[in-house]
Each structure stands twice: as C-alpha cells, then as structure tokens.
C-alpha cells in the first residue's frame, strides 16, 4: 500500500491505556495477564505478525536455550531485512557487468540512486521530497547543518541542548562553538530535569527558551526527538513553535525517533533535522543517514553552506562548471555521490515500512507491545527494577530504560545474554529494552521477563522467593522460586499466606 505523504500528528492519548486493553482481553479470554497464553493470544491477533518473516533474526549461541535470539535491540542496530542481500548483490553484479556505464543504465542508474530512497525517507519523517536527502552519516550531517543554522555573534552565541544529549551530538556542538571562538562551558546551556525527576518537562524547556530569547544570547536550539538514554519522546511541534516564536533556529537529532514514532517535520516546522538509518530503519551498521531542511529554506541563497558537486543542480551537474548552483532544498547540501550499496540496503528496509503502511500504522502495536512489557515488569519485578522512561505512551517510543536498585545490572545483563536475549546496557546501571513492532512479538516480551525474573529473585537473602498477586477475577495467586526453579502461579486456599 502507498504511504501518505505526511503522517497526521498524534497529539492525544489513546482512548485506553495499554494495561486496560490487555486486561480486558485477558478477562474476555479467561486467562491471566501474566500467562504465556495472553502473549500467544496477542500474537495470534497481531495484524503485523507476518512482517517478522521479512527479517533475519540473529541466531543464539549454542549454549543458549533457544535457536533464535529474542532480539530487543532495534534502538541500537535493527535486524537484517531479508531483501537486503538481493538489493546489494544486484548492484555488485551490475558493477561487474557494466563498470562505469552503471551510472546511466536502468534500472536504478547510479547517478540518481538516492532518488530511489528519498521518497520513502520523506514519507517516514512527514516531509516533502524537496526537504529530504540521503547522504553521509549522522554527525557529519549535523556539522553541515551547523554551517547554515548556527550563526553566532559576540553577544548571541549560546546553544540550548538537553543535558543528557548523545555524546556524539555533544562532541559536535562543543567543537562547533570552539571553532567560532567560544567556550563550551558558557556557550552550551543545558536543559536539566527537575530535582528528583529523570525526564524533562515540556513547559520547562519552553520556559528556558523564552528566558534566553529575552536575554538575547541564544543562537540555536538543538534536541533529540527521542532521548537515547531515557527513551523520552519530546514534543517536536510544541518546542519547535516556541523556538520559532522567539525567532531562534531549531534542529532535531532523530536517530531514535525515525522509524520508531510518527513524525511530521514539514508541518511541525523545524529548520533542520538529521537521522541515522541503522537503528529502527534496519539498513545496516553505520549505513547512510538522512537530512531534512524545511521548504522555507529551499531557495534561500543567503544561507552559508559547505558545498560539493553532488549538491549542484542536477540538470547541468556534469557540465563541470566551477560556478556552484545548488539544487533546491536539502539536496543542495549533498557533497559527493552517495554510496550505491548503502542506498540499496536502505531500500530493503523502506520496502518493509511501505508494506506495513508506515510508522503511524505500526504505532498502535508499538504502544501495546511496550505497554505489555511495562505491565509484566510492574506486576512482578517492581521491587527490583525501576522504569524511568515516561509512563504515558504518547511521551515515549518503544524503548523502556530500566535501572536496578540492587546494583546488579551487569549480572542481569550477562544472564540475559547467556539466555539468548539481546538488549543493551548503558553505564552505570541501565538496561535498554526496545520491542519493535516490525519483528518483535508479544512472546518475545513474555520470554524476556521469564528470563530476568529468576536472576533478580536470586538476590533475595532466602533461597525461596514468593510473589503474590491477584488475577483479573480477584483470585489470590502465589508464585514461588526455589533454588532458581520456578513453580507456576497457584491459587492460594482461603486467600491466606502462611508465614514461617
């Protein structure tokens, strides 16, 4: 099915929370919310379950109790689409058969190979095609955007950025302000959460933008669409409007947002945005990145830029003139011809998104899948795990970030790896889990919790750990773990628990 040109923005909460929906289904089917039967029922009803077969899920180590890993690491590197190998091999074969003539030979002449992925990329970020180009890698593109949109003066030189920005973003910003002769300690003003809170409030971000706008010292606002560490999804539309109302340029790093949450860049109106394609876009490690420059800048010849021949307008690019005339829009920022093999790999992933109907179509499953993980962790492991990702599904993508009060994060992470469960850790004490709707199942989530539970319960002083809960029918149930072996939930007679 064809994707819409731009996704309508989701601005309201779902009619019911994932927990309410999951509980209602369990009640209807007369099964417990923590049973594997619920996971199986959810998978049976999943309209996107067939998309899992479009991917190669990594194999588990021989010592693991499963053949295929439970791959919950799309926030770091997406799984391999099955179509990638053919698309890449086709171009390698074309190279061998045609040599340089491949640049102008159909199908997919290399001279315009980026056009084969530009439309799909524009649909994913809610942009017009003129606003998007596929080029370079993420941090390179951010540096290029800074040339145009960070234009500091002696009094107006500060950049507003989240305190926990991804290190590469912070390195990029530090080097930029140094290049212009400023001290990063003074020039980089950081959005900090309130004391005792892990995430940022939109009203606090807006207040700081207005504060520095009134002071007249801020030259740029730059943030991430989804925060890599906390998993918080920022309100791009509202924050962008606040910056633009103050006449401050604003840009977004969408590395953890693209392919994860619906985006509507054209209508939301930031000046620029950049993203990688190897996380939720599944195009391969270190693959080609994307860039958005709003249409209002498409023919602005007052903007400085670093130029290269592939940014020259297409109709006379090969005249080889030294007079640079940029292509309109984002494509005028291209420097060199993009990698044919990288574009081929990206095409394979965009095909799967198109088959799914786009990110907005996948969003309902994503909210429910992550909500299911949240529910299982809250019901059974809240004593041992802290979820510091926002609880409102509208304020996050698919990732949940977990901390471990007992200080045993690395032990838990190691046990998950041994069991063939792939997620990632971030020092000092965070495990990030990202169930992605394209290829993860509800059974994957259930298995994750089953694997992590015994490891956490081993931390209890007694070799016996007991969890008591109430099922949807009001019956009290008991689950026991003794010497790492788990006895399934059983009804407790007379609703009483004998104490030793």
């Amino acid at each position: 099915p064809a994707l819409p040109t731009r996704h309508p923005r989701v601005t309201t909460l779902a009619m019911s929370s994932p927990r309410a929906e999951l509980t209602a289904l369990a009640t209807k089917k007369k099964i417990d919310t923590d049973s594997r039967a619920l996971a199986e029922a959810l998978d049976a009803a999943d309209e996107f379950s067939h998309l899992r077969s479009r991917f190669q899920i990594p194999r588990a180590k021989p010592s693991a109790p499963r053949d295929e890993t439970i791959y919950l690491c799309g926030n770091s590197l997406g799984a391999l689409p099955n179509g990638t190998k053919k698309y890449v091999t086709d171009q390698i074969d074309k190279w061998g058969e045609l040599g340089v003539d491949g640049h102008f030979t159909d199908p997919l002449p290399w001279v315009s190979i980026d056009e084969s992925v530009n439309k799909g990329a524009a649909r994913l970020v809610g942009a017009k095609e003129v606003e998007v180009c596929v080029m370079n890698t993420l941090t390179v593109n951010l540096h290029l955007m800074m040339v145009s949109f960070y234009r500091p003066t002696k009094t107006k030189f500060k950049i507003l950025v989240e305190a926990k920005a991804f290190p590469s973003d912070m390195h990029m910003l530090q080097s930029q302000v140094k290049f212009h002769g400023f001290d990063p300690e003074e020039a980089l003003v950081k959005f900090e959460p309130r004391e005792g809170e892990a995430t940022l409030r939109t009203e606090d971000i807006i207040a700081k933008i207005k504060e520095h706008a009134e002071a007249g010292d801020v030259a740029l606002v730059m943030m991430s669409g989804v925060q890599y560490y906390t998993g918080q999804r920022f309100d791009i539309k509202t924050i962008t409007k606040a910056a633009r109302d103050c006449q401050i340029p604003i840009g977004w790093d969408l590395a953890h947002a693209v392919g994860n949450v619906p985006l509507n860049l054209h209508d939301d109106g930031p000046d620029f945005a950049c993203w990688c394609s190897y996380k939720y876009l599944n195009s391969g490690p270190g693959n080609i990145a994307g860039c958005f420059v709003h249409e209002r800048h498409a023919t602005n010849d007052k903007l400085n830029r670093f130029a290269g021949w592939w940014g020259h307008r297409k109709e006379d690019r090969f005249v080889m003139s030294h007079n640079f005339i940029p292509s309109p829009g984002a494509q005028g920022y291209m420097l060199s011809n993009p990698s044919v093999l990288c574009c081929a790999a990206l095409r394979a992933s965009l095909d799967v998104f198109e088959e799914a109907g786009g990110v907005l179509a996948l969003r309902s499953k994503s909210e429910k899948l992550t909500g299911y993980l949240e529910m299982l962790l809250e019901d059974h492991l809240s004593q041992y795990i802290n979820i510091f990702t926002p609880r409102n599904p509208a304020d996050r993508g698919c990732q949940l970030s977990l901390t471990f009060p007992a200080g045993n994060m690395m032990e838990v992470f190691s046990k998950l790896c041994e069991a063939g469960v792939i997620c990632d850790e971030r020092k000092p004490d965070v495990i990030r889990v990202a169930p992605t709707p394209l290829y993860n199942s509800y059974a994957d989530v259930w298995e994750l919790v089953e694997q992590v539970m015994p490891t956490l319960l081993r931390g209890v002083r007694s070799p016996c750990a007991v969890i008591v809960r109430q099922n949807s029918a009001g019956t009290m149930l008991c689950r026991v773990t003794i010497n790492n072996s788990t006895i399934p939930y059983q009804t407790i007679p007379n609703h009483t628990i004998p104490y030793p």
Side-chain angles (χ1 to χ4, degrees), residues 160-162 191-194 199-212 221 223-224 232-235 238-240 242-243 250 252:
L160 304 186
V161 61
E162 73 225 55
F191 298 116
E192 300 269 7
R194 296 186 185 185
T199 55
L200 293 165
R201 299 191 188 191
T202 301
E203 61 266 30
D204 293 346
I205 295 170
I206 292 172
K208 189 171 283 289
I209 291 172
K210 290 180 177 178
E211 173 193 341
H212 284 273
V221 177
M223 295 188 65
S224 56
Q232 179 180 9
R233 178 189 183 188
F234 293 111
D235 188 338
T238 300
I239 296 169
T240 295
I250 181 168
W252 294 85

Side-chain angles (χ1 to χ4, degrees), residues 86-353:
K86 181 181 187 307
Y87 280 178
V88 172
T89 301
D90 284 349
Q91 298 311 311
I92 291 174
D93 290 345
K94 183 177 183 179
W95 177 20
E97 293 168 7
L98 299 177
V100 72
D101 288 342
H103 281 92
F104 301 98
T105 304
D106 288 324
L108 298 174
W110 299 335
V111 72
S112 58
I113 191 71
D114 56 299
E115 294 177 8
S116 70
V117 289
N118 266 5
K119 289 182 181 179
R123 286 195 290 265
L124 282 179
V125 298
K128 295 184 177 181
E129 192 174 353
V130 71
E131 297 174 311
V132 169
C133 68
V134 174
M135 62 180 189
N136 308 317
T137 51
L138 173 55
T139 305
V140 172
N141 289 341
L142 287 171
H143 274 295
L144 293 176
M145 293 299 100
M146 296 291 282
V147 176
S148 290
F149 297 105
Y150 179 54
R151 292 168 289 176
T153 66
K154 289 183 178 180
T155 58
K156 192 174 183 179
F157 59 89
K158 294 183 179 179
I159 300 174
L160 304 186
V161 61
E162 73 225 55
K164 195 69 176 177
F166 190 74
S168 190
D169 287 4
M170 197 62 78
H171 300 328
M172 181 276 297
L173 292 173
Q174 289 168 346
S175 66
Q176 283 283 340
V177 297
K178 286 180 181 178
F179 175 77
H180 287 281
F182 300 105
D183 180 359
E185 289 296 321
E186 182 184 9
L188 298 182
V189 179
K190 298 172 184 176
F191 298 116
E192 300 269 7
R194 296 186 185 185
E195 186 175 353
E197 298 183 359
T199 55
L200 293 165
R201 299 191 188 191
T202 301
E203 61 266 30
D204 293 346
I205 295 170
I206 292 172
K208 189 171 283 289
I209 291 172
K210 290 180 177 178
E211 173 193 341
H212 284 273
E214 291 173 3
D217 61 2
V218 62
L220 178 69
V221 177
M222 204 193 102
M223 295 188 65
S224 56
V226 172
Q227 221 285 329
Y228 87 99
Y229 191 75
T230 67
Q232 179 180 9
R233 178 189 183 188
F234 293 111
D235 188 338
I236 295 176
K237 181 176 183 178
T238 300
I239 296 169
T240 295
K241 183 179 185 303
R244 293 202 63 214
D245 286 348
C246 295
Q247 298 184 321
I248 302 169
I250 181 168
W252 294 85
D253 175 347
L254 301 178
H256 287 264
V258 68
N260 180 14
V261 297
L263 295 167
N264 202 359
L265 293 183
H266 175 79
D267 289 345
D268 288 351
D271 294 283
F272 69 91
C274 301
W275 58 91
C276 58
S277 67
Y278 54 81
K279 300 181 189 296
Y280 298 106
L281 293 192
N282 315 300
S283 77
N287 201 23
I288 199 163
C291 183
F292 164 91
V293 179
H294 198 275
E295 185 181 32
R296 64 180 174 272
H297 301 300
T299 57
N300 184 354
D301 59 4
K302 299 294 191 296
L303 287 176
N304 290 327
R305 75 177 79 203
F306 287 162
W309 80 310
W310 223 253
H312 188 95
R313 64 184 183 185
K314 297 179 181 179
E315 52 265 37
D316 58 357
R317 179 184 291 158
F318 285 90
V319 171
M320 302 299 187
S321 168
H322 286 186
N323 180 30
F324 179 76
I325 304 173
S327 293
Q331 293 167 44
Y333 285 82
M334 298 178 76
L335 301 180
S336 300
N337 47 325
S339 164
V340 170
L341 302 184
C342 288
C343 289
L346 180 56
R347 278 184 62 222
S349 177
L350 295 176
D351 281 356
V352 185
F353 277 100

